[in-house]
Each structure stands twice: as structure tokens, then as C-alpha cells.
Amino acid sequence: MLVVLAPLYAHGMAPFGLDWGEDVSQYGEVKRQGDELRVETHVLPKSLSLAKDYVLYADKQHGLLKVIMTSRNYGLYDDDYKEDFNFIKQSLVDTGYQTTEFIGSEMSSYKCVLQGSCFGKRWYGFTDDGTNVALEQVAKTRHDAYLKLTFKAPKLLQIEAEREDLKQLKQQDQLNSDRLAFD
């Protein structure tokens, strides 16, 4: 009798030559935080030239669920900062990502100056398979800004929705219980 063990989550295409659901330990040292597995690396099968670091998030049951890429540092007003954002956004659109939202820059706002860190342009999209992406300009200071690219697997979005539903049920149960205290 032949027994085949398969992961509960079917693999799908992820960015940078990765597959959703795959084992992340092959890319570096695995750090555990509760049920979450995290790997920090500088190199992936298909690395982006402007990338500084990648962080891979997974869990034992589902494998790879999220990928975050952070770019090299830019000056806040460098032309490359704007051009690289636009290049990545257009590349994502050209490969099938559909825009869900675009938010203009808040870098020149008074709030941004006071906080010391803020977001510039932000673009959000998804693919037909359900993969979500967020591209953000992030600034820590005028001279310390970077691009952040976050991909989430469809399974992670499902897990997050289930957690949110459970949280709301617990809050409703607590409200119902508190109302009974006055009966």
C-alpha cells in the first residue's frame, strides 16, 4: 500500500520564484514566534535588484503565507525613489495584478513632519488566484526612506478573515454577557 502525504494547503505561485505553501527553511534560519515561522534573507530564487531584505512568513500547517521585501535606502526626494515605485507598480500590473486602491503621497503633510515616519504613495492590488499585494513608500526621516512590498497568499487572507470573525463573535458574546449583568 502506497501512502502519499500532501500539505493541507495546495501550492500556488508566489513572487520572487517562490510557491505559496512551500517550506521556508531552505532560505535561511527559521525563527519561531508562537505558531508563526519567520525567515530573513537577502537572496531568493528570483531576487529584485533594488531589494535589500526579504522576510518570509509561514506556519507549519500551511507553509509560506506572506513575503515582505524592503528596498535599499533612498533620500526622501530622490528621483530613483519615485521611479522605482512606479517601475514596481507597473511591473505588477503588467504581470496580471489588478489595482484595488491607490493612495497619493502624504510625505509633505504636516502630520508626517511631526511624526517622523510616514507613508508616501501606496498601491494595492490582487491577482485572479487571490494573492494580494501592497506597495508602499515608507520614510523614517528625510534621508532614510525605502520601498516596502508585501504579498499575502490567498490562504493567509482566509485565515485572517476567520480570526476577525472569531474576534467579533467573542466581542458580541462579551456584550451579551455584560447585558445579563443588569438583569
Side-chain angles (χ1 to χ4, degrees), residues 108-165:
S108 60
S109 72
Y110 188 66
K111 177 181 85 173
C112 179
V113 173
L114 289 176
Q115 288 179 346
S117 85
C118 59
F119 292 97
K121 294 178 188 173
R122 288 170 279 169
W123 178 86
Y124 302 93
F126 71 98
T127 59
D128 290 338
D129 76 354
T131 298
N132 276 20
V133 62
L135 172 60
E136 303 165 307
Q137 289 179 319
V138 183
K140 295 185 264 183
T141 69
R142 288 180 188 221
H143 307 288
D144 192 10
Y146 62 94
L147 299 173
K148 180 179 177 185
L149 188 57
T150 304
F151 293 89
K152 291 184 177 182
K155 185 65 180 177
L156 178 58
L157 299 171
Q158 178 187 347
I159 292 168
E160 289 175 343
E162 289 169 359
R163 286 179 186 157
E164 184 60 29
D165 289 347

Side-chain angles (χ1 to χ4, degrees), residues 78-90:
D78 288 354
D79 288 339
D80 287 353
Y81 189 45
K82 297 171 191 156
E83 290 168 8
D84 288 348
F85 178 92
N86 291 329
F87 171 78
I88 292 172
K89 182 182 91 154
Q90 190 58 51

